[in-house]
Amino acid sequence: MRLEQWIEYTEEVKEAKRLGKPIVALESTIISHGMPYPQNVNTARDVEQIIRDHGAVPATIGIINGKIKIGLTRDELEFFAVSQEIEKVSRRDLPYILTMNKNGATTVAATMICAKMAGIDIFVTGGIGGVHLEGENTLDISADLTELAQTNVAVVCAGAKSILDIERTLEYLETRGVPVIGYKTDDFPAFYTRTSGFKVDYRIDTPNQMATLIKTKWELGLHGGLVIANPVPEEDAMEESKVQEAIDTALEQAKIKGIKGKKVTPFLLNKVKELTGGISLQTNIALVKHNAEAGAKIAVALNKLSG
Ligand code: PSU
Ligand code: MN
């Protein structure tokens, strides 16, 4: 049993690990299944640069030919952006994808798992999965939530889209002991908008305090991750009524088409994107970049505390 045989690092990440530099993990589902080309690859590269500019090293995570890549080269980022043969990989998919030497874009859950294997504590993404609407009947609850309950990685995000039942998502996180911390906000954000109608558990205003809270949780032996909720900047936020209209239509179409299982989230994300046109894409890009800046600062602070 050798874990290392499944993992490959880029030179940049290998060097960062050797020197004990702060590292920030990034997911690849957002590239392969979350945005159109070429905005997906441009955003991925910009986000990596923002992390470097704030003193941390980016490690975008994905699976190529059955190997977990911690850090992707320019060409590999391009591959994830254009290839149609990339599976969406969550916890349950990992063993099969590696066994069969396939390519996979990692979800929040799978990226957390791989980040942990690589010793990376901070992970930046756009939005997390959650309890789906009518999830109390379908039991469609994203594996992102169970991962947050058990894997020691802090996830910086802009909340969760209201394609989900945000109230039940927050209830589930509470049940599983996952802290939901607002970064400079009292509200749990809803991805495209700064508010969701629900509050975060606690608010923290500085990277240093956020890093201290993360360290405290793990020092106490309280396993699992944290949700660090960083709302989209005011000037990039969308109008609430516009978002809701698109989401309602998307949900209706998913129902008519009988979309189920792992296809639900990509279907809804795609439809919302279609229905809101370029605006939602601009918002999406802006919030991920904003999260990268916050995540890098928190990673730098955590690195100092631990160093
Ligand atoms: N929510 C978003 N954008 C995304 C996803 C969710 O706003 O890109 C992706 C993430 O990779 C997340 C996954 O981990 O969808 C959740 O899928 P599911 O609901 O099937 O667990
Ligand atoms: Mn699901």
Side-chain angles (χ1 to χ4, degrees), residues 12 26 43-56 58 292:
E12 185 185 20
L26 298 158
T43 304
R45 286 182 183 142
D46 289 350
V47 161
E48 289 199 345
Q49 195 51 46
I50 289 167
I51 288 169
R52 289 187 194 101
D53 291 344
H54 289 85

Side-chain angles (χ1 to χ4, degrees), residues 232-263:
V232 60
E234 193 103 53
E235 62 272 24
D236 300 301
M238 282 180 73
E239 219 177 287
E240 182 129 16
S241 59
K242 245 188 211 130
V243 180
Q244 204 47 53
E245 201 183 292
I247 286 174
D248 290 344
T249 309
L251 288 165
E252 212 172 287
Q253 294 194 9
K255 206 171 228 178
I256 293 167
K257 291 197 151 97
I259 307 288
K260 296 243 154 57
K262 75 190 270 191
K263 292 206 172 78

Side-chain angles (χ1 to χ4, degrees), residues 6-242:
W6 301 105
I7 303 180
E8 286 173 10
Y9 295 88
T10 52
E11 282 306 317
E12 185 185 20
V13 177
K14 208 183 285 173
E15 181 74 353
K17 275 174 69 74
R18 199 178 62 79
L19 298 172
K21 285 192 187 169
I23 307 176
V24 174
L26 298 158
E27 64 156 307
S28 41
T29 296
I30 198 168
I31 305 172
S32 298
H33 306 288
M35 285 184 199
Y37 185 83
Q39 285 91 342
N40 54 1
V41 67
N42 291 337
T43 304
R45 286 182 183 142
D46 289 350
V47 161
E48 289 199 345
Q49 195 51 46
I50 289 167
I51 288 169
R52 289 187 194 101
D53 291 344
H54 289 85
V57 173
T60 306
I61 293 176
I63 299 159
I64 300 179
N65 274 331
K67 290 279 185 285
I68 296 169
K69 298 280 185 176
I70 308 292
L72 297 176
T73 64
R74 274 185 81 79
D75 288 350
E76 287 167 346
L77 282 176
E78 180 82 13
F79 171 66
F80 275 93
V82 297
S83 173
Q84 300 299 311
E85 279 142 52
I86 297 184
E87 310 276 341
K88 174 181 162 192
V89 176
S90 196
R91 170 176 272 266
R92 62 107 190 252
D93 309 292
L94 274 170
Y96 176 81
I97 298 297
L98 265 55
T99 299
M100 304 305 279
N101 293 329
K102 286 182 177 285
N103 305 314
T106 49
T107 63
V108 169
T111 306
M112 287 179 75
I113 293 168
C114 299
K116 183 71 182 48
M117 288 173 181
I120 304 172
D121 299 324
I122 307 288
F123 162 28
V124 162
T125 187
I128 55 167
V131 179
H132 281 261
L133 291 158
E134 294 176 36
E136 67 274 30
N137 296 319
T138 62
L139 286 188
D140 190 351
I141 300 170
S142 174
D144 293 354
L145 299 188
T146 42
E147 208 56 54
L148 279 159
Q150 64 181 318
T151 299
N152 294 15
V153 172
V155 181
V156 181
C157 64
K161 289 199 179 97
S162 39
I163 59 168
L164 300 168
D165 186 330
I166 292 181
E167 186 170 19
R168 284 190 171 88
T169 299
L170 292 171
E171 288 293 349
Y172 191 89
L173 288 169
E174 183 196 344
T175 300
R176 301 299 308 271
V178 180
V180 177
I181 312 293
Y183 187 54
K184 303 179 189 173
T185 185
D186 297 304
D187 289 287
F188 185 72
F191 197 85
Y192 296 120
T193 57
R194 293 175 58 84
T195 59
S196 62
F198 300 96
K199 299 287 174 195
V200 290
D201 305 332
Y202 301 103
R203 170 191 180 134
I204 278 191
D205 287 325
T206 69
N208 193 48
Q209 277 186 333
M210 192 67 86
T212 307
L213 186 146
I214 294 166
K215 188 164 174 271
T216 303
K217 180 177 197 278
W218 294 335
E219 276 178 359
L220 291 171
L222 299 174
H223 291 293
L226 306 91
V227 174
I228 298 171
N230 185 39
V232 60
E234 193 103 53
E235 62 272 24
D236 300 301
M238 282 180 73
E239 219 177 287
E240 182 129 16
S241 59
K242 245 188 211 130

